[in-house]
Amino acid sequence: MSETPDQFLILGIETSCDETAAAVVSNGDTVVSSVVSSQVDLHARYGGVVPEIASRAHVELLTPAVAQALVESGIEGNELHAVAATVGPGLAGALLVGISAAKAYALAWGLPFIGVNHMEAHLYACFLEEPDLEPPLVVLLVSGGHTMLVAMDAHGQYRLLGTTVDDAVGEAFDKVARVMGLGYPGGPAIDNVALTGDPTAVKFPRAMPQGLDFSLSGLKTAVIRYVRDNPETPVADVAASFQAAVVDVLVDKTRRAVAEVGASTVCLGGGVAANSLLRERILDLCTEEGLRCFLPSRSMCTDNAAMVAAAAWWRYRADGATPLDIGAQPNLRLA
Ligand code: KG4
Ligand code: ZN
């Protein structure tokens, strides 16, 4: 990167799953505009994301989302300094829509293109909202497709401490909610209905596989079986009991990760980081252990493009532009 203007403006694009999003972010820490066009209604009738429908919806929704992000920012395309898009992990066809569009905008405006890892973007949502945050830190990244405990030693340097051996935590929320008739996406629905339930009503299993890994399929199956066998138990009690079991496991493993790494800062990222009980319990953990804690705002936890532009700013300063021959990387790893 030859020279850095005072305000380095990046257009971020996010299309890895079922949110079509565009945002303009300045210097990785100031959101100038952020637009999220949710496809939830399109997928809800199928009880989950249908990849082909997601790709087609991204094609329809992306250009208007970018136009709106630019209008709201008051910035013309050629006044930007770079265009970024999520290149993975995610749904191949969905990713391709955002990547192709971002490259086209970059070429048309003569700007560098920056490819971003979606999970790194979830982490950088924290730096976007809390610019004085500093590594080293431990981050719990929990989304629809991923469940990871990661040690961030420095910007761009990660160690995977633990991950799920089966289902991702968001996936477990969504499947359990579907069986309880709570609709899609299940996470927010369970969070909401659990507020009025008794978390001790049903004792669901808390699987603790070795080390810092997670296993959620046993819990998911136990809840599904319980709901079928005990239709009279109030949904709120089942939801609260399931949520309590998930959060117990997540918080316990985070506590161990912090001890193992000797970290003094803990962050959360990903859609499930919007969960009320998880936020409360991670805050309690940090208070008990005297740790600095940062929880992104709920809208910054779920998929958006501002986090993509924020991660892109750091990525560009470290590595410069991404070659334009990069394609979609559905299984891209963080570490
Ligand atoms: O990060 P995200 O928006 O998309 C992916 O990268 O997957 O995460 C979506 C996931 C879904 O499984 C959704 O049910 C879950 O995050 N989620 C929640 C909450 N809000 C969204 N899970 C639990 N509690 C919530 N409040
Ligand atoms: Zn995500």
Side-chain angles (χ1 to χ4, degrees):
M1 194 163 121
S2 47
E3 64 177 284
T4 314
D6 290 345
Q7 267 210 317
F8 196 88
L9 296 163
I10 299 181
L11 169 68
I13 289 176
E14 161 60 40
T15 64
S16 67
C17 192
D18 60 346
E19 312 284 6
T20 312
V24 176
V25 172
S26 168
N27 296 344
D29 64 8
T30 307
V31 181
V32 184
S33 64
S34 181
V35 176
V36 180
S37 291
S38 180
Q39 306 177 5
V40 160
D41 294 347
L42 291 176
H43 301 284
R45 78 178 91 149
Y46 302 100
V49 178
V50 182
E52 185 54 33
I53 292 177
S55 310
R56 278 192 239 157
H58 286 309
V59 170
E60 282 174 24
L61 297 171
L62 185 55
T63 311
V66 169
Q68 192 183 337
L70 289 178
V71 167
E72 286 180 12
S73 70
I75 292 161
E76 300 286 336
N78 57 10
E79 293 171 322
L80 294 163
H81 299 102
V83 183
T86 300
V87 294
L91 302 168
L95 288 165
L96 266 179
V97 177
I99 297 169
S100 313
K103 286 179 187 172
Y105 286 122
L107 283 171
W109 294 324
L111 301 174
F113 166 75
I114 310 165
V116 171
N117 179 313
H118 182 78
M119 299 315 289
E120 191 174 37
H122 274 304
L123 166 58
Y124 273 89
C126 299
F127 288 86
L128 171 58
E129 291 194 325
E130 187 81 341
D132 71 346
L133 204 59
E134 273 179 31
L137 54 82
V138 164
V139 61
L140 174 66
L141 291 172
V142 274
S143 68
H146 295 85
T147 302
M148 298 193 284
L149 269 166
V150 174
M152 178 189 197
D153 296 318
H155 284 283
Q157 279 180 35
Y158 310 106
R159 276 178 296 135
L160 183 63
L161 304 171
T163 186
T164 179
V165 297
D166 39 55
D167 293 353
V169 63
E171 191 183 348
F173 266 96
D174 293 338
K175 284 190 183 154
V176 162
R178 194 188 318 178
V179 169
M180 290 197 287
L182 293 174
Y184 177 85
I190 289 186
D191 192 349
N192 196 33
V193 77
L195 292 174
T196 57
D198 172 6
T200 63
V202 192
K203 191 86 190 131
F204 288 125
R206 279 120 168 104
M208 291 289 175
Q210 277 220 315
L212 296 171
D213 281 342
F214 302 91
S215 170
L216 292 149
S217 73
L219 169 61
K220 178 193 72 186
T221 310
V223 179
I224 292 172
R225 201 172 294 143
Y226 182 89
V227 170
R228 287 198 182 133
D229 296 347
N230 301 273
E232 75 291 347
T233 309
V235 165
D237 287 350
V238 181
S241 301
F242 161 72
Q243 183 175 266
V246 171
V247 170
D248 273 355
V249 172
L250 295 176
V251 172
D252 186 86
K253 294 279 177 166
T254 305
R255 184 191 301 275
R256 292 194 215 177
V258 168
E260 194 173 301
V261 170
S264 57
T265 303
V266 173
C267 297
L268 280 186
V272 183
N275 183 265
S276 314
L277 184 66
L278 179 61
R279 296 169 77 85
E280 188 185 312
R281 294 279 308 281
I282 289 285
L283 266 178
D284 290 347
L285 165 71
C286 292
T287 308
E288 282 162 28
E289 308 279 341
L291 305 165
R292 180 175 182 188
C293 183
F294 184 73
L295 310 178
S297 61
R298 282 184 162 83
S299 60
M300 201 47 85
C301 291
T302 47
D303 287 351
N304 65 86
M307 67 181 195
V308 173
W313 189 71
W314 289 94
R315 182 58 50 209
Y316 187 63
R317 295 204 309 173
D319 301 334
T322 304
L324 285 177
D325 59 2
I326 193 169
Q329 301 183 24
N331 301 314
L332 183 62
R333 291 169 60 98
L334 182 60

